[in-house]
Amino acid sequence: MQPEDDLVRFASDEPSALAVENPLSWKLLVVDDDEEVHEATRFALHDALIADRPLRLIHAYTAQQAAEAIAAEPDIAAIMLDVVMESPDAGLRLVRRIREELQLADVRIILRTGQPGYAPELKVIRDYDINDYKTKAELTHTRLMTTLIAAIRSYEQIHAISENRRGLELIVNAAAGLMELPAMSAFAEGALLQIAALLKLPAEGIVCAQKGLPFDNAGGAEALHVVAAAGRLASCIGRPLAQLAEPEIVTAIHDCIARKTHDFGPRHTVLYLHDHKHEAAVFVRSDKTLAPTDRQLVEVFAANVSSCFGNVKLVERLNFIAYHDPLTRLGNRAAFLADLEAAGAAGAADQLVCLLDIEHFTDVNNSLGHEVGDQLLLAVARRLADACEGCHLARIDGDTFGLVGPKSRLAPERLLRLFETPFAAGEQQLQIEIQFGYCRIAGSEPGETLYKRADMALTHARLTRHTRYLHFTPKIEKRTHWRLDVIRELRRAFHAERLAVWYQPQISLHDDEVIGLEALLRWPNVPGFVHSPAVFIPLAEDSGLIIDLGAWVLDQACATFRRLEQLPRRPQRIAVNVSMPQLRTPDFSNHVLRTLAKHRMPASALELEITESILVGEPAVVLRNLNALRAQGVHIAIDDFGTGYSSLSYLRQLPIDCMKIDRSFVEEIDSGRGDVFAETIVALAHKLGMETVAEGVATSGQLARLRELGCGIAQGFLYAKPMPPDTLIKWMGTRNVGLAH
Ligand code: C2E
Ligand code: MG
Ligand code: MG
């Protein structure tokens, strides 16, 4: 008998020439309690080859040890099994265990017994799929060999079928799983790992490359790029294949793609994947040529995966679109938020978030065309990308870019300097101004919060005169909330028709008649809100609400003007204030003319008050609108003259009929500071052939001096405050009566 712990012995223990290291050997388990049988078998099978493959013997002396050996060694091809061992039916029990408990269907079983009287019933042989039953005496060398050859052939076939089935299951599952992966890189990596699993090879040494850059659907770039790699080669992902320091891999992949076929070599397998548009190759390093079954399996897999290829590309394209700006190919807002989320989570203290806005970009689009606008955006994106290497750069929307990166890169002086030189856009060299808002990253903060803060800082910088940039502070946040509250309330009041238009008379200083009226928007009876248009008009401008509000004021003003026609001495015209966002609307002039037509009002009865600030940037669309209106006879007045960016050269370009002297200059007249400004403005207006209206005339002293200076019209509390239409009509009535006497 054998010592207890040496009962199961493997052929490697034997001095025999059996090729124990060869992974292609057939594993044969010999189970017998008689050492002589083991010896005889060993001797008989010494150097035997079946289907060109050697045998590897595993020895067990009891059914229990045999069961342990089976558990430890997968893929045993055949078992030569003694029936009578620990018990008279120990062998038969083991057979039941193998088939029923362990569910091993492939392994072939040859029963051997020394006692012919213990022959199992036919039923057992059939039910437990036993290949052969021989008495030991029957097993001469030749019989043993023929029995074994038959058993192993049978095993090979059964095993191939079940392996194929398993492989096909794997393929179906893998392909289904791969289909769900959104990106080509993930898909390729999945395919690569599945192939490694299929071939039972380590994933190391596998490269997957595709023709063209990842994400490039245009097919422009033809160079092969590594899209997925496992193990040591993982660092090559995203790099051109040519840069790989492994010439064997580079050549094998190139050859595979050139020949458009799989390559099953002795040291590697390269699979060719393709659909009608794309090509890729998967390189798997191995130490032997694949067995035909494996080869078939891999071919089926490659065909299956190829058909997913196009779909994955499509999904990837959709993903690309979802996270990228199609024009600049930079990340979009969603991508920027993801970058911020990552930066916020990392809580990197020396990092800044910056939102950067191009001033008056809409004017470039409107006046020079969208193509020039696009060129400008591309040029800005390029300059920012070059200067801010290592930062995340995204195009948030229209003319806003987002940056996240180290403070040193995003310092305001540095960014401002970038915009000192003009940008080439088509034929044009465009000088642009930018404004930006910053937010520091401190502690771990959600990306959305960081974005909002930088956005608040940017909005605040936009609203603050002569300010190019601001850093976020809690004060800015408070102010932003207040602004948003007011805008929301204003919008609500507007839609609920709670706004009103009041009118302030303008008096001709030649004959003291009411020559005109100025329409002024009012927001009455809202407790807790600042009513002054000086406060809410800029907010309405900023939110775009002014476009609808302004249209409504114009409509009201025209209606009121028509009501006044019944009066014996009615004003010649009505003045309406117009904001920049309205004038920038390309359809503005048509809209005004349509409103005049609706009220059957002559164009000369309307005066539009604009401010000097609209002259900044010389937006062509504004000039077009004003010229079109003036050509129809609408009067144009410059409001608050002298307080904005006055420039005589601008004045000459603009179609202006009237200058309104700002209240501050009128106030100076009798405040002791003199009347030099008022005098200059009146003189200038005379020279340019324009009328003058003095605003905010509150005292008779001011009035007398303005008259002396030759100012034609006065408007102010001295005559009347702004009034609702009914009050105005009454006021006009009493005034007419007064004048008649
Ligand atoms: P503005 O166009 O310069 O209007 C004249 C402002 O001076 C009005 O202020 C008027 O009430 C005020 N005012 C007139 N005479 C006197 C005076 O003798 N003393 C004093 N202290 N003030 C006088 P209001 O109505 O508060 O409007 C402020 C600004 O809001 C307007 O300045 C105008 O720029 C803007 N605004 C008002 N209504 C509209 C509108 O419908 N559309 C647009 N775009 N802006 C409007
Ligand atoms: Mg005005
Ligand atoms: Mg004014």
Side-chain angles (χ1 to χ4, degrees), residues 601-631:
M601 216 175 108
S604 59
L606 178 67
E607 183 163 77
L608 295 181
E609 295 192 5
I610 59 173
T611 55
E612 291 157 291
S613 60
I614 64 141
L615 305 170
V616 179
E618 301 170 59
V621 65
V622 172
L623 285 178
R624 256 202 312 272
N625 274 323
L626 290 177
N627 281 320
L629 288 167
R630 182 111 183 296

